Amino acid sequence: MKRAYYSSNVLAFINKDDFTIFGEITSNDQFAADDLQKNTWKKQIEILKRELSTFTEGHLLFEYTIPRIGNRIDNVLLYKGIVFLLEFKVGERNYPSYAIEQTTDYALDLSCFHKESHDKLLVPILVCTRAPEKEISIKILKDNILETYSCNENGIREYIKSVCDKFDRPLFNPVSWINSIYMPTPTIIEAAQALYMGHNVKDISRNDASAKNLNETTKAINEIIDYSKANKKKSICFITGVPGAGKTLAGLNIAIERQKVDENEHAVFLSGNGPLVDVLQEALARDDVKRKGIRKTEAMRKAKEFIQIIHHFRDDAISIDAPPIERVTIFDEAQRAWDEPNLVDFMKRKKGVLDFNMSEPEFLISILNRHEGWATIVCLIGGGQEINKGESAGIAGWFESLRSNYLEWDVYISNKITDEEYSKGRSFDELAEGINYKIKDDLHLSVSLRSFRSENVSAFVKALLDVDKKTAKKLYEQFKNDYPICITRDLEKAKLWVKEKAKGSQRYGITASSGAKRLRKYGVWVQNKVDAPNWFLNGKDDIRASYFLEETATEFDIQGLELDWTILCWDANLRFNNGQFEFFNFKGTKWQNINKDDNILYLKNAYRVLLTRARQGFIIFVPTGDANDITMQPGFYDGVYHYLKEIGINEI
């Protein structure tokens, strides 16, 4: 796919006839534009020929693809060492706020993800052709980006000249800029939409050398599936990775690729994360409705075939012995599978199944084992993500099931399976004893894609929660200028901070642990469950959206998803005293100590999840407490506040 539908130096563009230019644009359009778009291109050609008629240098592009898949900039002008980004709204008589935001987003995306734009001045321009004339105003948005300037079709030339008069920038090679390395890290929502539209994972993942592992992991899984299919073998693969490394992205990509290879495999992506599934299904359905004009019910049915709640898959198999239609199943967050006591109890209480005696890993393997011939399970394993009762089977639960009942299955794992977050202290030999395993290094994703400004953020969070002050301080010093983290004792200041930091459509919201029940005093009410699709997907004009900072997402709402900027509200359920964390649960009218190891782990992991949800930075709100409230004594909060300050986190 070409980076642009049309690319030419300005002089050649001006001297070439309109029909030839239009023909080149349409011939490179892979999406078969409708008549409205074609007429827009004709008008753009006419306007730009007039507005650039006195320019004797520069390079012009039509429909330049930028890193976040699905977005193309109408026009890019590379002129006098400056990158001008033009978004046209032909026939528009006003300057809509959504269009200004859209144009600003282009500049932000290029600044973040387009290597050759990192040191260039980016100038977004919204052209609403029939809108009133506006006075020229040149303002800096941030770093190397100007605020979006809005003008009508007659204001382009004068604004470009004004910017060039004010900023003297060194010339650069336009070919190098056009062919720059892309380093996109889309949200999982954007990634799912892009993959669903037919883009390859290579298009939407970072393609610098350090992150090539994501592509290699997908390739390795495909080879395993093909081998299993050809040799009528049953296989199970374990993909591990650091937080935000793209495990879910890899899983989604595998499901879609296998559907392309053979739809009779019925590859499906399964997750026990209800909010994640709800958000992804809704996002894909909305996207299909918008792009294809189909009914929402039809779009949602398609989305639900591709992404499903794992519990529905599990429950459908309880009453029958027949094999499922799926030959390839991808289980997201497989380490959160239920152990035998909790699943048996659930089946008895909720499903009325009295003779059930398996853990979730064993039952899920048994379902695929019903097939004659081949089947493949792909387990996506995250470290330190168990946050709910019963999620203690972990990766050892899968291995125990294989060792006890499925020795004929081929097991594929990476040599990173012994990291503490996965193994819980077991050695590799202990985990793998008695199973038919093969080592595949490409099944571990070692680079975080979520925190694109710093790959050290997840390591920093681990050190912080492990009370490894020295490591936490060292890591924070390395990324604090690129990935800001702040602390405040004033929630209103925190709200102003994220609003100020977020540019364009960058999303922000309030988060807190599900046990942060005393924060209700500050309007942070975790017992009021958010509607995840609306909270994550809706715009700034919807009070249910995260932007309004009214509803709080907990670890259960936000795990597996992310925002650009977050406010993390820290309650007295996780305190810091005498050099260590203390764990509490609020019940009735008082705090109670948590002593059970599993429950301590769940609370620690809840904060781990919340501390790794921001793509660009976050602020931590630690209340001052209230000496007159026995449940909110200042001493409950001061320890955490001073600990974070000791690490070096700045206070505002």
Side-chain angles (χ1 to χ4, degrees):
M1 183 178 67
K2 290 187 175 182
R3 293 284 176 89
Y5 288 3
Y6 176 83
S7 176
S8 168
N9 68 67
V10 170
L11 207 53
F13 166 75
I14 292 169
N15 292 323
K16 191 174 290 186
D17 70 90
D18 294 7
F19 184 77
T20 302
I21 297 170
F22 177 74
E24 188 171 338
I25 294 171
T26 54
S27 66
N28 286 317
D29 172 25
Q30 59 176 332
F31 297 108
D34 56 22
D35 290 340
L36 180 63
Q37 178 61 69
K38 290 176 180 178
N39 289 332
T40 297
W41 285 331
K42 290 176 182 177
K43 188 65 176 177
Q44 285 174 240
I45 294 168
E46 173 194 324
I47 293 170
L48 289 171
K49 277 200 168 188
R50 182 188 71 236
E51 292 297 296
L52 305 181
S53 60
T54 60
F55 291 26
T56 57
E57 58 183 289
H59 200 95
L60 182 66
L61 307 169
F62 274 72
E63 301 293 334
Y64 184 73
T65 302
I66 61 174
R68 290 197 181 188
I69 295 305
N71 288 341
R72 296 190 306 277
I73 308 173
D74 286 345
N75 294 101
V76 176
L77 174 66
L78 309 175
Y79 182 64
K80 291 188 179 297
I82 300 172
V83 180
F84 294 90
L85 314 171
L86 287 79
E87 175 65 19
F88 276 83
K89 301 297 179 187
V90 173
E92 178 61 62
R93 296 177 180 273
N94 301 296
Y95 297 110
S97 57
Y98 84 87
I100 295 172
E101 190 174 273
Q102 175 187 359
T103 313
T104 302
D105 282 347
Y106 292 156
L108 291 167
D109 281 349
L110 286 176
S111 177
C112 290
F113 306 122
H114 189 264
K115 189 174 182 180
E116 290 293 325
S117 292
H118 289 175
D119 60 348
K120 307 295 188 295
L121 179 64
L122 303 172
V123 183
I125 305 173
L126 172 63
V127 183
C128 296
T129 58
R130 302 180 68 179
E133 184 178 340
K134 294 193 74 173
E135 183 179 344
I136 290 178
S137 174
I138 300 173
K139 296 179 180 178
I140 295 175
L141 178 69
K142 57 172 289 188
D143 300 332
N144 62 327
I145 304 174
L146 298 189
E147 282 191 8
T148 295
Y149 174 69
S150 302
C151 66
N152 59 28
E153 66 176 79
N154 299 306
I156 301 171
R157 178 191 305 166
E158 289 306 314
Y159 180 67
I160 291 174
K161 285 185 174 180
S162 297
V163 171
C164 292
D165 288 343
K166 184 168 184 175
F167 298 96
D168 183 17
R169 292 300 175 100
L171 299 178
F172 58 87
N173 186 336
V175 175
S176 297
W177 188 92
I178 293 166
N179 296 317
S180 170
I181 291 175
Y182 281 173
M183 296 184 290
T185 55
T187 67
I188 193 60
I189 297 168
E190 292 167 333
Q193 290 170 322
L195 293 172
Y196 203 56
M197 287 171 61
H199 289 279
N200 189 278
V201 71
K202 292 179 181 178
D203 299 329
I204 59 174
S205 63
R206 285 171 46 187
N207 55 19
D208 53 316
S210 65
K212 66 181 180 181
N213 191 227
L214 182 58
N215 301 324
E216 296 302 317
T217 299
T218 302
K219 180 181 176 183
I221 294 292
N222 278 328
E223 289 173 353
I224 291 167
I225 295 173
D226 290 338
Y227 175 82
S228 301
K229 189 174 183 178
N231 293 277
K232 298 182 179 179
K233 304 277 286 183
K234 292 186 174 70
S235 57
I236 184 166
C237 316
F238 294 93
I239 297 178
T240 54
V242 300
K247 296 180 292 294
T248 300
L249 172 56
L252 290 168
N253 188 58
I254 291 161
I256 287 179
E257 284 203 2
R258 297 317 300 183
Q259 288 177 350
K260 292 177 185 176
V261 170
D262 183 355
E263 63 181 16
N264 292 321
E265 292 179 6
H266 295 284
V268 64
F269 180 89
L270 300 168
S271 175
N273 185 337
L276 174 68
V277 172
D278 290 345
V279 170
L280 291 181
Q281 287 177 345
E282 179 70 18
L284 296 183
R286 289 186 188 184
D287 207 36
D288 248 7
V289 169
K290 183 179 178 181
R291 289 187 298 107
K292 299 179 181 178
I294 62 177
R295 295 179 63 181
K296 179 73 175 289
T297 52
E298 180 185 350
M300 185 59 79
R301 179 186 56 77
K302 281 180 58 188
K304 287 182 176 180
E305 288 177 359
F306 169 49
I307 299 174
Q308 297 178 25
I309 288 284
I310 196 169
H311 308 311
H312 295 169
F313 175 84
R314 181 193 68 198
D315 295 348
D316 286 344
I318 292 174
S319 58
I320 58 172
D321 295 324
I325 192 172
E326 297 86 0
R327 289 271 185 176
V328 176
T329 55
I330 297 96
F331 295 143
D332 194 26
E333 296 178 358
Q335 82 287 347
R336 296 177 63 190
W338 285 7
D339 56 19
E340 182 177 334
N342 282 281
L343 185 57
V344 168
D345 179 62
F346 174 82
M347 289 296 190
K348 188 181 297 183
R349 287 186 297 105
K350 298 293 187 180
K351 303 297 180 181
V353 182
L354 302 179
D355 58 348
F356 193 89
N357 60 353
M358 288 187 272
S359 68
E360 191 166 31
E362 182 179 349
F363 186 47
L364 292 172
I365 297 172
S366 76
I367 297 171
L368 272 294
N369 197 57
R370 297 172 185 175
H371 280 294
E372 290 290 331
W374 77 282
T376 297
I377 294 173
V378 180
C379 293
L380 310 177
I381 305 288
Q385 300 291 299
E386 302 92 334
I387 59 174
N388 211 348
K389 180 183 178 183
E391 295 177 350
S392 57
I395 195 166
W398 290 90
F399 283 8
E400 180 57 39
S401 297
L402 290 163
R403 182 164 40 248
S404 301
N405 301 291
Y406 304 103
L407 290 175
E408 73 279 9
W409 279 58
D410 291 337
V411 181
Y412 297 89
I413 52 181
S414 85
N415 59 359
K416 299 293 185 183
I417 209 78
T418 54
D419 283 4
E420 173 63 26
E421 282 79 6
Y422 315 122
S423 66
K424 296 182 181 178
R426 295 176 176 87
S427 69
F428 180 85
D429 289 340
E430 287 176 309
L431 285 170
E433 182 183 2
I435 64 172
N436 178 30
Y437 71 87
K438 297 178 178 66
I439 297 293
K440 292 281 186 181
D441 291 344
D442 288 331
L443 298 188
H444 182 73
L445 297 163
S446 58
V447 178
S448 176
L449 302 182
R450 179 185 300 126
S451 302
F452 61 86
R453 294 185 184 276
S454 173
E455 292 160 7
N456 291 322
V457 174
S458 59
F460 162 77
V461 170
K462 182 180 186 306
L464 186 153
L465 293 173
D466 290 346
V467 197
D468 183 353
K469 289 185 187 179
K470 184 177 179 181
T471 300
K473 196 166 187 174
K474 180 181 177 182
L475 289 167
Y476 179 64
E477 283 296 320
Q478 292 176 10
F479 64 70
K480 67 179 184 180
N481 293 327
D482 296 318
Y483 184 96
I485 301 175
C486 290
I487 183 173
T488 183
R489 312 207 79 173
D490 184 333
L491 184 56
E492 292 308 310
K493 283 186 178 180
K495 291 179 179 180
L496 289 173
W497 188 86
V498 292
K499 288 178 180 179
E500 180 185 299
K501 289 291 184 183
K503 307 299 181 184
S505 64
Q506 290 176 347
R507 186 171 285 274
Y508 50 86
I510 295 182
T511 69
S513 80
S514 57
K517 296 178 181 177
R518 290 306 298 127
L519 295 179
R520 188 168 60 177
K521 180 174 286 191
Y522 299 91
V524 178
W525 192 10
V526 295
Q527 287 145 302
N528 179 48
K529 186 171 176 56
V530 303
D531 183 315
N534 290 324
W535 198 82
F536 280 100
L537 299 176
N538 292 6
K540 294 177 180 177
D541 57 346
D542 191 320
I543 60 170
R544 299 168 297 176
S546 65
Y547 291 117
F548 267 75
L549 301 177
E550 290 185 2
E551 295 186 329
T552 303
T554 71
E555 68 272 20
F556 299 116
D557 302 311
I558 204 169
Q559 187 176 40
L561 294 159
E562 61 230 340
L563 305 179
D564 288 296
W565 304 90
T566 64
I567 301 171
L568 168 53
C569 302
W570 201 300
D571 202 4
N573 57 337
L574 186 59
R575 306 175 195 175
F576 192 83
N577 285 304
N578 300 317
Q580 62 183 10
F581 280 109
E582 297 174 347
F583 305 86
F584 292 85
N585 177 45
F586 192 80
K587 195 167 185 179
T589 60
K590 61 183 179 180
W591 292 104
Q592 298 178 347
N593 282 296
I594 296 177
N595 297 311
K596 190 177 178 182
D597 288 345
D598 280 350
N599 292 336
I600 287 173
L601 175 68
Y602 300 148
L603 179 53
K604 184 177 179 181
N605 285 344
Y607 276 85
R608 188 192 311 276
V609 166
L610 297 171
L611 286 161
T612 54
R613 293 307 96 187
R615 290 160 56 81
Q616 304 202 49
F618 61 93
I619 186 166
I620 302 171
F621 163 58
V622 181
T624 54
D626 182 351
N628 297 314
D629 184 343
I630 196 170
T631 67
M632 294 196 73
Q633 292 295 293
F636 295 172
Y637 301 94
D638 289 346
V640 164
Y641 165 74
H642 290 299
Y643 172 53
L644 296 173
K645 290 270 287 182
E646 281 179 45
I647 290 172
I649 298 177
N650 294 326
E651 182 177 8
I652 64 165

